[in-house]
Amino acid sequence: MTSVQDNIKGKVAIVTGASSGLGESTARHLAARGAKVVLAARRTDRLDKVVAEIREAGGEAIAVATDVAKRADLDKLAAATVEAFGRIDVLVNNAGVMPLSPLDKLKVDEWDRTIDVNIKGVLYGIAAVLPRMQAQGSGHIVNVASIAGLKVFTPIGTVYSATKHAVRAISEGLRVEVGNSGLRVTIVSPGAVESELKFGSSDAESAAGVKAFYDANQIPSDSVARAIVYAVEQPANVDINEVVLRPVSQEF
């Protein structure tokens, strides 16, 4: 009988935002289960270190410098993955930013960056891999949303929440569109997870509030990595549509 672990072994998985936090943890978990992993992020020095450690542990991995806000970078990422491993089985759209502040602070440049990374980055990732997955007749796109995509994170996270609501809408629409072609789509919506995301606020008051909230509630990044692995390891005819996870102590 085939074990669920065999459903990951040999798959080619791209993970964006893989230089730290839950992206890094997800890449390590998938590699440990036998996936060939492509780590994507802007910080190549950090990527190279993680790749070296995965290889030392017996895994297969490469690093590709990627800014998900640039469509050309995602196209190059997909091409580099196919060149190295011949196919793309999984895309984990994990890269994200969370600069929080009330709307009346008018941090419009931060709004733009949040939309560029959290919405356009997800769409650019989908555009880069979807034709290849459809040609294969299989593939799995995992989009990392947030608890803030289920409820508006007000008064400091309105724009961030808007982007994560968008990720959920895009994911559900994609699931319906591609399900009959053998592709799977999963939304993962975490609560407070240990990562660099919490350091994104330039507004001092918001930053202090976020730090206190995370210090009181956060769970390790591998909590999310295990959820992603769970979705990926399912048989090809099973699609885990959405996973919501938060610290036991988190009310929001």
Side-chain angles (χ1 to χ4, degrees), residues 165-227:
H165 276 75
V167 170
R168 295 187 69 245
I170 291 164
S171 303
E172 175 61 8
L174 179 64
R175 180 190 70 81
V176 175
E177 289 188 32
V178 303
N180 287 333
S181 59
L183 276 63
R184 302 190 293 177
V185 180
T186 300
I187 309 165
V188 177
S189 298
V193 175
E194 167 59 37
S195 75
E196 295 180 2
L197 203 63
K198 62 180 180 254
F199 301 125
S201 303
S202 65
D203 177 62
E205 186 176 353
S206 298
V210 170
K211 182 180 185 303
F213 178 76
Y214 271 73
D215 287 348
N217 292 285
Q218 67 187 6
I219 52 179
S221 57
D222 68 354
S223 307
V224 181
R226 289 195 303 271

Side-chain angles (χ1 to χ4, degrees), residues 26-178:
T26 297
R28 291 182 185 275
H29 274 258
L30 289 170
R33 297 288 293 272
K36 301 172 183 179
V37 183
V38 179
L39 289 80
R42 292 179 296 164
R43 295 179 295 179
T44 53
D45 56 337
R46 178 61 189 167
L47 285 181
D48 290 340
K49 181 177 183 295
V50 178
V51 165
E53 291 171 358
I54 288 174
R55 289 175 176 173
E56 287 169 8
E60 292 187 66
I62 62 170
V64 181
T66 307
D67 180 348
V68 299
K70 299 177 180 178
R71 183 180 177 185
D73 277 18
L74 273 301
D75 291 339
K76 290 175 184 175
L77 172 62
T81 301
V82 172
E83 182 179 356
F85 297 122
R87 58 188 291 119
I88 302 171
D89 296 300
V90 180
L91 168 65
V92 181
N93 265 323
N94 164 70
V97 295
M98 191 177 71
L100 303 175
S101 63
L103 288 173
D104 63 11
K105 297 286 185 176
L106 299 181
K107 291 186 176 290
V108 179
D109 289 345
E110 292 184 358
W111 300 351
D112 286 341
R113 180 63 180 168
T114 305
I115 290 167
D116 286 346
V117 174
N118 293 4
I119 301 179
K120 291 183 179 178
V122 167
L123 288 169
Y124 293 160
I126 292 169
V129 306
L130 189 56
R132 291 175 170 87
M133 289 183 174
Q134 288 178 315
Q136 293 168 185
S138 66
H140 194 166
I141 295 174
V142 180
N143 294 328
V144 178
S146 170
I147 293 296
L150 300 169
K151 181 179 179 181
V152 179
F153 186 15
T154 187
I156 62 173
T158 300
V159 174
Y160 178 73
S161 278
T163 66
K164 293 304 185 177
H165 276 75
V167 170
R168 295 187 69 245
I170 291 164
S171 303
E172 175 61 8
L174 179 64
R175 180 190 70 81
V176 175
E177 289 188 32
V178 303

